Amino acid sequence: MEIRLQAVDIHKTFILHLQGGKRLNVLKRVDLTVEAGECVALTGPSGIGKSTFLKILYGNYKPDSGRVLIYHLGQWINTVEAEPYQILDIRRSTIGYVSQFLRVIPRVPAIEIVMEPLQRLGLSVQECRVRAEELLRRLNLSESLWTVSPTTFSGGEQQRVNLARSLIYPYSILLLDEPTASLDEKNRAIVVQLIQEAKRRGTAVVGVFHDRTVREALATRYFNLSMEESG
Amino acid sequence: MTHLKEPLLKVMGVTKYFGDRVGCRDISFELWPGEVLGIVGESGSGKTTLLNTLSFHLEPTRGTILYWMEEEGPVNVGQLPESKKRHLMRTEWGMVRQNPREGLRMRVSAGANIGERLMAIGVRHYGRIRAEVQRWLERVEIDTDRANDLPETFSGGMLQRLQIARNLVSRPRLVFMDEPTGGLDVSVQARLLDLLRALVAELHLSLIIVTHDLGVVRLLSHRLLVMRQGEIVESGLTDQVLDDPHHPYTQLLVSSVIQA
C-alpha cells in the first residue's frame, strides 16, 4: 500500500462579498486517502462540490481548514500551508490535472501546448516532440491541426489536446474533471485505455466522470461527497 | 523555479508617501530566483508607485529592500552609493516601461539601443556586439534589416519588443515591467505575451510585472499580489487568487473582467 494523496478534514465555504456576503457551505469534514494504482470516482448530485474538491486537491482552491497531503519526491507536503513555488513544483512533476476546458494561449500551436509540461522538466525538444506526436496520434487528433493554435478547435479537439498535455508525463497523481465530456464513443474508449495504462503504472487517479460507462470502466472505488457531508 | 535557500529580493515594510498622501504602505514580500510576480490592482492602487520604489526610481519613505547580488550576496539597496545603484540598474536589473519611448533612446538606431546596454557591461568587441544585436533583434521578431533605423519609424508593438531586447541583452537577473502590454492592439498584445512567456522560461528570469490585465498575469506570473489603496489586500499562487479570490476587492476585480 503506497499512499499518494491524503485529504484530511477538508472544509470549504465560499463567501460571496459581492452578493452581500452570502455564504455557500460546500464541503464539510471531507477525508479521502488515495493509494497508487487506485481510481476514485467522486459521486453525488451536481453542485455538491465534486469539482471544488478536485480543485482543492490541485491547490487551485484554498480550503477554510484541513490538510491536503501530497507525496512529492519522497516527502509529504501539505499544500494548504505550502508556499506557491512548492505547489508549482508539485504540479510540475507529481500532479496532473485535466479540466473540462482547455485554456488556449493565442499563437501557441497544439503540439507545443502538449510538449510544454515535459519541456519544463528539462527534456530535449526532440524527445518532447516525439512523445507529443505519439500521444496526439493515439488520440486521433488530425495531424493538420498539430501546428495550429487550438483557438478554433471544436470542444472535442480541445479536450484531446488537454488530455494529451496531462498524460504526456507519468505523474503519480492524476485529477480528472469530466475528461471525456465532449468526446465521441471511439475517442472515449481510447482515453479510458490511456487512463487504465496510467493506473497500471501506479498512478493514483481521482476523477469526476459523468459518463457511466467511463466511470464503471475506470473506478476502483466510489466516493460519495453528499454522504460524506451529512456524515 | 526550484527550491532555493536564498531569495533574490526581500522587501520589508516598504512605504512611500507623497507629502501626506499614501503611495504604497507596508509592503513586504520575497521574490525567488526564476519567479514571476504579478502585481495587480486598479489605477491609483499604488502598483506603479511600488514598482518605481522597488527599482529606486523613487526614494522609499520607509522600509528596506535587500537584493542578493550575483557576486557579493545580499546588499541593502537603499544604502548603496548612487553610482552603484545606477550600475545595478544597467547590469543586473532591467526596467521595461509601459511607454517604450521612455525606456529607449529615440535618437539612436534600434541596433545602438541594444548595443549600448552591452557596452555598459563592458563588452568592447565590435563584432560580438554586432552579432548579439542581430541575435536579439531576431529573438524579438524584428527584421534585422531594421537595425540601423531610428525607433521613431517603428510601430508600437515593435518599439515594445525593442525595449525588451534592450533590457534583456545584458542578461539581467531581475526585470521590472510596468504594463508592458498597455496601449497595444489585442493581436499585438498576444504576440508580445507569447514572446515574454518564452523568454521568461528560456532565460530563467525573475520578473516583477505590474498590470491591470488579469489575463497577462494568468499567463505569465507564478504568484500574485493584489493592491488596493496602496496596500496588499491578497496574495498567493496566481490561479488560486484568480479562481478562488477571498478578499472583497479581489472578487470585484475578478468579476469585472469581461469574458471574450
Side-chain angles (χ1 to χ4, degrees):
Chain A
M1 285 207 305
E2 289 174 274
I3 298 171
R4 290 282 173 250
L5 176 160
Q6 207 168 10
V8 185
D9 199 22
I10 299 294
H11 287 69
K12 178 66 184 172
T13 307
F14 291 97
I15 302 172
L16 311 177
H17 292 286
L18 303 182
Q19 293 176 42
K22 188 172 155 194
R23 294 173 69 92
L24 296 174
N25 299 310
V26 180
L27 301 172
K28 215 196 272 172
R29 288 194 302 273
V30 178
D31 292 285
L32 175 68
T33 300
V34 189
E35 289 169 21
E38 262 197 303
C39 176
V40 178
L42 304 179
T43 58
S46 90
I48 202 76
K50 301 186 291 289
S51 288
T52 295
F53 187 53
L54 273 185
K55 285 172 177 166
I56 287 173
L57 297 180
Y58 191 54
N60 179 219
Y61 284 4
K62 206 180 177 69
D64 313 335
S65 61
R67 285 174 295 156
V68 175
L69 300 164
I70 305 288
Y71 191 69
H72 171 65
L73 304 176
Q75 55 177 320
W76 287 98
I77 296 179
N78 175 10
T79 59
V80 177
E81 300 287 329
E83 292 291 327
Y85 73 85
Q86 289 178 298
I87 297 176
L88 293 172
D89 210 37
I90 287 173
R91 290 179 183 176
R92 208 165 295 134
S93 57
T94 298
I95 303 188
Y97 172 75
V98 181
S99 62
Q100 295 177 56
F101 306 102
L102 175 71
R103 201 172 277 283
V104 184
I105 303 165
R107 291 222 316 163
V108 181
I111 185 119
E112 284 179 25
I113 294 178
V114 177
M115 288 162 62
E116 198 200 7
L118 277 189
Q119 279 185 289
R120 274 186 298 182
L121 287 163
L123 274 80
S124 76
V125 175
Q126 185 52 30
E127 201 175 345
C128 299
R129 189 171 294 276
V130 168
R131 287 172 67 177
E133 286 178 358
E134 200 179 302
L135 208 47
L136 288 175
R137 206 167 280 132
R138 266 191 87 179
L139 286 161
N140 289 314
L141 191 81
S142 161
E143 220 172 306
S144 60
L145 295 177
W146 295 359
T147 52
V148 183
S149 160
T151 329
T152 56
F153 287 14
S154 72
E157 287 161 349
Q158 289 200 357
Q159 188 152 39
R160 278 175 281 157
V161 172
N162 218 3
L163 277 157
R165 183 182 159 86
S166 303
L167 292 169
I168 195 165
Y169 181 74
Y171 297 104
S172 55
I173 299 167
L174 258 186
L175 307 173
L176 307 170
D177 196 352
E178 301 272 16
T180 60
S182 37
L183 300 184
D184 59 26
E185 211 171 314
K186 184 176 132 215
N187 285 315
R188 220 176 295 158
I190 292 163
V191 171
V192 167
Q193 216 174 68
L194 286 165
I195 297 169
Q196 295 288 27
E197 286 167 24
K199 278 163 62 188
R200 276 198 293 277
R201 280 198 306 263
T203 298
V205 183
V206 185
V208 179
F209 310 101
H210 249 121
D211 187 283
R212 209 177 106 198
T213 333
V214 172
R215 189 167 64 230
E216 286 173 355
L218 288 174
T220 53
R221 183 154 63 98
Y222 294 113
F223 184 73
N224 192 316
L225 276 168
S226 47
M227 276 168 57
E228 196 61 28
E229 198 186 6
S230 60
Chain B
M1 199 181 17
T2 41
H3 250 89
L4 288 150
K5 295 182 298 293
E6 289 182 334
L8 189 66
L9 193 74
K10 192 177 168 83
V11 177
M12 293 173 285
V14 164
T15 299
K16 175 67 186 174
Y17 280 100
F18 300 101
D20 47 13
R21 191 169 64 78
V22 177
C24 60
R25 184 159 54 196
D26 286 331
I27 306 294
S28 299
F29 65 89
E30 286 171 359
L31 182 78
W32 299 84
E35 190 173 42
V36 179
L37 178 74
I39 303 178
V40 295
E42 61 197 353
S43 313
S45 59
K47 53 193 197 304
T48 297
T49 298
L50 174 61
L51 195 76
N52 284 328
T53 309
L54 294 176
S55 58
F56 278 89
H57 289 87
L58 286 174
E59 193 77 30
T61 310
R62 261 202 320 271
T64 309
I65 300 167
L66 296 181
Y67 169 71
W68 272 252
M69 285 184 75
E70 183 138 46
E71 308 273 314
E72 297 160 53
V75 291
N76 183 337
V77 188
Q79 285 170 4
L80 288 178
E82 206 51 45
S83 62
K84 199 149 183 192
K85 260 188 236 170
R86 275 202 304 275
H87 183 72
L88 199 63
M89 235 18 251
R90 283 202 308 263
T91 55
E92 294 192 25
W93 290 10
M95 176 91 182
V96 174
R97 300 192 166 275
Q98 173 172 8
N99 181 355
R101 287 179 173 79
E102 290 171 22
L104 290 167
R105 289 223 295 141
M106 299 302 284
R107 285 159 187 278
V108 302
S109 71
N113 263 286
I114 300 175
E116 202 176 54
R117 276 282 287 210
L118 281 176
M119 290 194 275
I121 58 167
V123 182
R124 288 288 174 266
H125 188 271
Y126 181 72
R128 202 193 131 194
I129 292 173
R130 212 181 125 85
E132 275 288 280
V133 166
Q134 293 254 350
R135 202 176 69 82
W136 270 97
L137 284 173
E138 276 166 27
R139 188 64 195 85
V140 299
E141 304 170 24
I142 295 174
D143 198 333
T144 48
D145 290 353
R146 304 292 303 269
N148 296 322
D149 292 353
L150 289 178
E152 205 57 72
T153 64
F154 285 15
S155 69
M158 282 168 77
L159 281 178
Q160 198 54 294
R161 296 201 300 278
L162 181 63
Q163 191 190 188
I164 287 166
R166 175 180 163 93
N167 271 277
L168 299 188
V169 67
S170 59
R171 292 302 183 110
R173 301 169 71 219
L174 172 60
V175 179
F176 300 93
M177 290 193 182
D178 188 9
E179 302 275 10
T181 58
L184 298 175
D185 290 342
V186 181
S187 63
V188 179
Q189 271 189 24
R191 182 175 186 184
L192 188 71
L193 272 178
D194 183 32
L195 175 72
L196 281 175
R197 206 172 131 264
L199 287 170
V200 162
E202 203 176 296
L203 304 173
H204 196 68
L205 278 182
S206 304
L207 190 63
I208 299 181
I209 183 166
V210 157
T211 178
H212 68 275
D213 188 334
L214 301 183
V216 169
V217 285
R218 162 111 43 200
L219 203 59
L220 288 180
S221 77
H222 301 117
R223 196 154 55 93
L224 209 55
L225 304 179
V226 181
M227 286 188 71
R228 182 179 179 242
Q229 294 174 356
E231 293 179 7
I232 298 173
V233 295
E234 187 159 357
S235 68
L237 191 66
T238 298
D239 62 274
Q240 201 177 74
V241 173
L242 294 180
D243 295 339
D244 187 16
H246 282 61
H247 192 277
Y249 179 68
T250 317
Q251 291 189 356
L252 179 67
L253 264 190
V254 171
S255 69
S256 305
V257 176
I258 297 162
Q259 301 276 339

